[in-house]
């Protein structure tokens, strides 16, 4: 699986840990985030990763900022992206199984590295459940006008 990662300046360290973890799991990682802690704008980074997912250049995306909220909002503005911010493994599994999320957002100031890696594992290993959930995902897609 191809996974793109990006973050703002607040989440560089956690993003790099997540990228290494994802690569260790055998996935192809494209880390497009900044490498210095100089202040950057999370909308730019969330949109850049989301565009890669939407274009099919990556199967899934993981984006990070201080809370995960702002970068998630930016990613969701890209047509075809369904990104959820998660602070627990149950939510990460459910956004994949029920919502066919193709992006995950994490808050570096909200969760620690150990929990973040567990959340990433839940996100990457859970598949879409289809069935009644497919109808709802189609409804979400129909909102993109």
């Amino acid at each position: 699986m191809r996974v793109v990662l990006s973050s703002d300046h607040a989440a560089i360290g956690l993003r790099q840990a997540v990228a290494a973890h994802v690569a260790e799991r055998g996935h192809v990682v494209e880390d497009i985030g900044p490498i210095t802690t100089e202040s950057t704008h999370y909308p730019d980074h969330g949109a850049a990763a989301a565009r890669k997912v939407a274009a099919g250049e990556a199967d899934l995306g993981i984006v990070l900022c201080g809370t995960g909220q702002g970068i998630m909002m930016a990613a969701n503005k890209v047509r075809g992206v369904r990104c959820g911010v998660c602070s627990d493994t149950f939510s990460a599994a459910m956004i994949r199984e029920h919502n066919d999320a193709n992006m995950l957002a994490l808050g570096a100031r909200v969760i620690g590295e150990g929990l973040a890696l567990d959340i990433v594992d839940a996100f990457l290993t859970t598949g879409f459940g289809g069935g009644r959930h497919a109808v709802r995902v189609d409804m979400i897609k129909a909102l993109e006008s």
Side-chain angles (χ1 to χ4, degrees):
M1 190 171 347
R2 300 165 301 160
V3 182
V4 62
L5 286 95
S6 192
S7 73
D8 68 357
H9 60 281
I12 291 173
L14 184 56
R15 187 195 77 236
Q16 291 171 337
V18 168
H21 182 77
V22 171
E24 287 170 4
R25 297 290 187 266
H27 304 293
V28 175
V29 172
E30 183 180 5
D31 186 342
I32 63 169
I35 56 172
T36 70
T37 57
E38 185 176 327
S39 183
T40 61
H41 303 295
Y42 61 80
D44 292 336
H45 299 291
R51 287 186 188 108
K52 287 189 172 283
V53 171
E57 297 171 24
D59 301 302
L60 296 173
I62 301 172
V63 289
L64 305 89
C65 67
T67 64
Q69 298 292 343
I71 204 161
M72 180 262 312
M73 290 178 193
N76 278 322
K77 294 297 182 180
V78 176
R79 185 178 185 86
V81 168
R82 290 171 307 285
C83 183
V85 63
C86 295
S87 298
D88 61 86
T89 57
F90 177 77
S91 296
M94 291 300 98
I95 65 169
R96 289 285 295 133
E97 184 178 333
H98 290 193
N99 310 118
D100 198 19
N102 49 15
M103 292 190 71
L104 168 68
L106 299 170
R109 294 178 178 149
V110 178
I111 58 174
E113 182 177 317
L115 179 55
L117 300 181
D118 289 345
I119 291 168
V120 167
D121 285 343
F123 180 75
L124 294 177
T125 60
T126 303
F128 179 48
R132 72 182 191 277
H133 305 298
V135 172
R136 296 169 186 151
V137 171
D138 286 343
M139 292 171 74
I140 292 170
K141 290 176 183 177
L143 295 171
E144 297 178 336
S145 54

